[in-house]
């Protein structure tokens, strides 16, 4: 369950920031880059801040 939530939040952030870049300001693409960098970092280190937050909120695997 935790993995699905993390992927859902990441996908939502990316799509939302793309829409904001198109309709509000191009600088929202920096947020897209930040989310992508965090996904890359978590794949290399096997640590994800969102998973830690979800664990503290009591979400099970």
């Amino acid at each position: 369950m935790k993995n699905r939530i993390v992927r859902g939040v990441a996908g939502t952030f990316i799509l939302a920031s793309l829409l904001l870049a198109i309709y509000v300001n191009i600088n929202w693409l920096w947020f897209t880059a930040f989310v992508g960098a965090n996904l890359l970092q978590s794949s290399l280190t096997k640590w994800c801040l969102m998973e830690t937050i979800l664990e503290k909120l009591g979400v099970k695997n």
Side-chain angles (χ1 to χ4, degrees):
M1 184 66 169
K2 214 177 354 176
N3 195 23
R4 290 182 66 185
I5 294 172
V6 169
R7 290 175 188 223
V9 168
T12 302
F13 281 172
I14 289 172
L15 292 175
S17 64
L18 287 173
L19 288 172
L20 287 166
I22 291 168
Y23 294 111
V24 178
N25 188 328
I26 194 76
N27 285 322
W28 279 101
L29 290 178
W30 288 107
F31 185 64
T32 308
F34 175 75
V35 173
N38 277 310
L39 289 169
L40 179 62
Q41 171 269 324
S42 71
S43 73
L44 296 173
T45 64
K46 296 184 176 92
W47 179 80
C48 177
L49 177 61
M50 187 66 177
E51 284 185 7
T52 304
I53 292 169
L54 290 172
E55 282 175 9
K56 291 187 182 206
L57 290 174
V59 176
K60 305 280 185 210
N61 267 339

